Amino acid sequence: MWPVTLSRLLLVAVLSLAAVSTPTPASAVDIPDTRELTDFFDAAMARGLEANHVPGAVVSVVGGGRTLFSKGYGLADRENRMPFDPETSLVRIASITKLFTWTAVMQQVQQGRLDLHADVNRYLTTFKIPATYPRPITLAHLMSHTAGFEDSAIGLGSRSKADVPPLGTYLAEHLPARVRPPGQVSAYSNYGAALAGYIVTRVSGQPYDQYVQDHILDPLGMGHSTAAEPVPAALAAGQARSYDYDEGTYQRKPFVFDNLAPDGSISATANDMARFMIAHLRNGPLLDEPTARLMHQQSFTADPRIDGYAHGFKEQTLNGHRVIMHDGSWEGFASLLLLVPDADLGLFVSTNGVGGIDAVTELLPAFFDRFLPGDRAAPASPGSTAAPVAGFYKPTRSVESTIEKVLTLTGSSRLRIEDGGKLAFMGKTWSPLAPGLYQQDGGWQRLAFVTNGAATYAATDGAAYELIPWWDTPPANLVVVLTFAVTALTAVLGLPLTAAIRRLRRRPSRTSRAWRAGRLLAGLAGAVGLVFIVLFVLMLTGETSILYGVPDSLRALLLLPPLFLALTVAAIITTVIGWRRQGAGVLARGHQVVLLAGMLALVWFCQHWNLLGWQFG
């Protein structure tokens, strides 16, 4: 799911391990000893939870077809002093739910009800995906996050079950814009996963939570897990709570209902997640062996030399081992599931504090170095030879059609080409590894440049980034805003001062009424624009949440851009009318032209970033 902060640090921690290497044979890996695992996690969790103010965590490790280790640490519920129990404590696994959704899709493929490469509109009746591009979107695109959807965070959650609309209704009313052709590049999409889950409900005739219960949870004996929200009464006593630590106190996070259930609704225990991991590692009993193997095969990569997606799983290469994984963050829970097929090993970990993302950053590399060491030789497979392009890049997981587009200004990063062909990007330095391929200095993440038509991408082992035009870059837009602000201040401060001096000197104005009206309207527009910019920056850098929809404060603030536009247009009209009449001096005329140019700069800014009107999707 998309965290409200738009920061997926848990995935970044995993990517810091991504080795450029060839897989290590399974025979070279020994199944870890339970005592070794206990000693490792006892020490690692003690350090991580305390340092990051996380109340608790739960872990399970599987290997050789059985659970090797499972244990809870700290408290699942601080108020009731309930310790974490791997058998009974339910954590919200958030986007790891998608693995259950993709498993359900593959079950329907196995039964012949779904075709991975058919237009998804074949399975939709009450609404259709628009034919924005000639090539249709397929389930395979949804599973590799290459459908080309933008991904909005507005209104993902609800405060109560009564507020959650039917899945089909929500999907129909919140169709995201298609911003690139399918199959071009990965861009994580909550909507795409929910759409796939809805298609499963259409062809199976069962609601999503009931389908998961009947076809995944029950067959695996996952008796302490559910896809229903809220958690059923029979399981509610074991429900873990999540917390945010701030200035010495823990604030309990509320239970947020997921409006896109197939993307993140499941609550599960660590022992139940062990059963799910074993099922995938052993290719059964959820899927027959050919279907399971297909699901675990790579389905997309931007460049064959970097990691991509299997059918729903994210690929990573860690210490030379091919890993298929997924993470999830929601309402303070941070969870991670890793499967290492060549070692027949799986890891699940979940924490119940906002700082839990940081708590695992040291655990993961230590776990792989301790239990899954491997070769680190660079691959020789050919790939793209696209030359690097300097500039600003935004995450492909972004928004074009709503007010969230403005997040490009805070979410884009500059890529520089330095001496020796090295790159500086995302706070890291990258060295050339092969034509079009780079490796992070001091780390293992890789980056490849890919071109598709007019688009240029910097694709990493994790996220992909798109080169943006100069007019979308933060420096260019800072110039636009500062140009307006400076000119507006000359009007807001200068015009009243000039009028006051004239009154003190008792010198009547010789300008026409139309000219004076134009000056006054320009000053008012400048004042309105300045107030909007200041309040919008404060809101953008504050903690305004759009999880439950657009807050009233933001709706009220967006009254100002239309008012600013109206005052600017009126100022231009009255200035034109009064221009040829006598009275206005050269300096006043020049100032008015500059002032109106500044106003038009802000008009462009508001229009370009979807701030004119209420563009919420």
Side-chain angles (χ1 to χ4, degrees):
M1 304 179 74
W2 188 314
V4 179
T5 63
L6 303 182
S7 174
R8 299 181 63 81
L9 296 180
L10 182 59
L11 185 55
V12 170
V14 177
L15 293 179
S16 67
L17 299 169
V20 283
S21 55
T22 52
T24 299
S27 59
V29 178
D30 294 325
I31 296 296
D33 178 90
T34 299
R35 183 179 181 82
E36 291 178 302
L37 290 166
T38 301
D39 292 343
F40 172 82
F41 282 106
D42 284 357
M45 286 301 179
R47 291 191 304 268
L49 298 185
E50 180 179 3
N52 295 281
H53 305 290
V54 178
V58 66
V59 179
S60 60
V61 179
V62 301
R66 60 188 176 89
T67 299
L68 301 174
F69 171 81
S70 68
K71 189 172 182 179
Y73 296 89
L75 297 175
D77 185 334
R78 294 189 76 256
E79 290 78 13
N80 296 307
R81 310 305 297 175
M82 183 176 75
F84 253 118
D85 185 329
E87 179 64 26
T88 59
S89 297
L90 284 82
V91 293
R92 303 200 69 185
I93 66 171
S95 284
I96 298 176
T97 297
K98 292 179 175 69
L99 295 182
F100 290 76
T101 299
W102 305 133
T103 300
V105 168
M106 296 305 292
Q107 286 178 333
Q108 296 304 305
V109 169
Q110 180 178 304
Q111 295 175 27
R113 294 195 183 105
L114 292 178
D115 182 342
L116 289 178
H117 304 291
D119 186 342
V120 294
N121 282 329
R122 174 193 294 185
Y123 308 109
L124 302 175
T125 56
T126 58
F127 68 97
K128 298 290 184 181
I129 305 301
T132 308
Y133 300 97
R135 188 178 180 186
I137 293 172
T138 67
L139 283 164
H141 293 136
L142 299 181
M143 299 179 84
S144 60
H145 296 277
T146 58
F149 288 131
E150 63 181 5
D151 197 54
S152 174
I154 295 176
L156 281 181
S158 289
R159 291 184 172 87
S160 69
K161 185 175 179 61
D163 294 334
V164 179
L167 180 58
T169 300
Y170 186 93
L171 292 170
E173 294 178 352
H174 295 81
L175 271 169
R178 296 180 63 184
V179 295
R180 62 180 60 89
Q184 189 172 89
V185 69
S186 62
Y188 193 83
S189 173
N190 286 315
Y191 184 95
L195 179 62
Y198 176 68
I199 288 172
V200 170
T201 72
R202 295 290 303 168
V203 299
S204 69
Q206 288 185 289
Y208 178 76
D209 59 342
Q210 193 61 53
Y211 181 94
V212 170
Q213 188 70 47
D214 291 347
H215 300 279
I216 300 178
L217 303 182
D218 287 348
L220 295 182
M222 297 177 66
H224 290 88
S225 301
T226 181
E229 293 180 324
V231 171
L235 301 175
Q239 184 178 354
R241 311 297 179 180
S242 58
Y243 301 87
D244 190 4
Y245 181 86
D246 184 28
E247 297 182 353
T249 61
Y250 288 91
Q251 301 294 325
R252 183 164 152 179
K253 305 284 284 184
F255 186 98
V256 181
F257 290 78
D258 187 359
N259 289 332
L260 293 172
D263 87 325
S265 67
I266 290 178
S267 297
T269 66
N271 283 1
D272 278 357
M273 292 304 294
R275 295 179 175 91
F276 183 76
M277 290 190 289
I278 292 170
H280 270 283
L281 285 169
R282 290 302 173 107
N283 297 337
L286 300 177
L287 302 169
D288 62 27
E289 186 165 343
T291 306
R293 290 189 181 279
L294 173 62
M295 184 175 180
H296 298 162
Q297 289 175 5
Q298 186 181 81
S299 61
F300 174 83
T301 180
D303 185 292
R305 300 167 297 181
I306 64 175
D307 294 315
Y309 275 94
H311 292 80
F313 284 93
K314 181 71 185 77
E315 288 185 313
Q316 294 296 321
T317 305
L318 308 180
N319 278 6
H321 299 271
R322 180 178 183 262
V323 173
I324 53 176
M325 54 81 66
H326 214 292
D327 71 330
S329 301
W330 186 243
E331 63 168 36
F333 286 100
S335 304
L336 178 68
L337 182 149
L338 291 168
L339 301 179
V340 191
D342 70 8
D344 195 18
L345 199 68
L347 166 66
F348 172 78
V349 58
S350 182
T351 62
N352 66 336
V354 172
I357 292 175
D358 298 320
V360 298
T361 56
E362 293 183 1
L363 179 148
L364 290 173
F367 178 83
F368 271 82
D369 287 343
R370 173 65 184 83
F371 300 109
L372 291 162
D375 184 11
R376 297 186 177 184
S381 56
S384 170
T385 57
V389 180
F392 280 85
Y393 288 74
K394 68 175 181 180
T396 53
R397 184 187 184 185
S398 58
V399 178
E400 292 291 329
S401 66
T402 76
I403 188 176
E404 291 172 273
K405 179 181 179 181
V406 76
L407 295 177
T408 297
L409 294 177
T410 58
S412 59
S413 301
R414 188 170 188 174
L415 186 148
R416 295 182 176 89
I417 303 174
E418 300 185 331
D419 293 340
K422 288 192 173 187
L423 307 179
F425 183 53
M426 300 294 292
K428 305 177 181 71
T429 302
W430 309 73
S431 295
L433 191 62
L437 182 68
Y438 295 78
Q439 181 178 323
Q440 176 191 345
D441 289 353
W444 302 109
Q445 191 175 357
R446 295 160 295 186
L447 179 153
F449 286 91
V450 180
T451 57
N452 281 292
T456 297
Y457 301 100
T460 72
D461 286 312
Y465 303 86
E466 181 176 5
L467 180 68
I468 58 178
W470 66 267
W471 55 83
D472 278 353
T473 64
N477 283 269
L478 181 61
V479 169
V480 170
V481 173
L482 288 178
T483 297
F484 159 75
V486 171
T487 56
L489 282 172
T490 64
V492 172
L493 300 179
L495 294 180
L497 180 62
T498 302
I501 292 173
R502 185 182 298 113
R503 284 195 296 270
L504 287 174
R505 293 181 177 181
R506 297 181 180 179
R507 295 174 59 182
S509 175
R510 297 182 228 175
T511 57
S512 67
R513 183 176 298 177
W515 178 261
R516 293 196 300 273
R519 297 285 274 170
L520 175 62
L521 288 168
L524 289 174
V528 170
L530 286 171
V531 169
F532 171 72
I533 289 297
V534 171
L535 293 180
F536 187 72
V537 169
L538 290 175
M539 185 169 289
L540 195 64
T541 57
E543 297 184 0
T544 302
S545 174
I546 55 176
L547 182 62
Y548 298 119
V550 180
D552 291 339
S553 58
L554 181 54
R555 291 182 182 274
L557 180 59
L558 290 179
L559 290 169
L560 295 182
L563 175 59
F564 169 78
L565 176 61
L567 289 170
T568 299
V569 171
I572 292 173
I573 293 173
T574 51
T575 297
V576 170
I577 293 173
W579 185 263
R580 294 185 178 181
R581 298 181 184 180
Q582 295 181 350
V586 174
L587 288 178
R589 290 173 184 264
H591 178 258
Q592 185 73 350
V593 170
V594 172
L595 182 59
L596 292 177
M599 304 298 155
L600 290 175
L602 186 61
V603 169
W604 174 87
F605 180 88
C606 292
Q607 172 65 25
H608 184 68
W609 297 108
N610 300 327
L611 301 176
L612 276 175
W614 291 265
Q615 300 185 53
F616 304 135

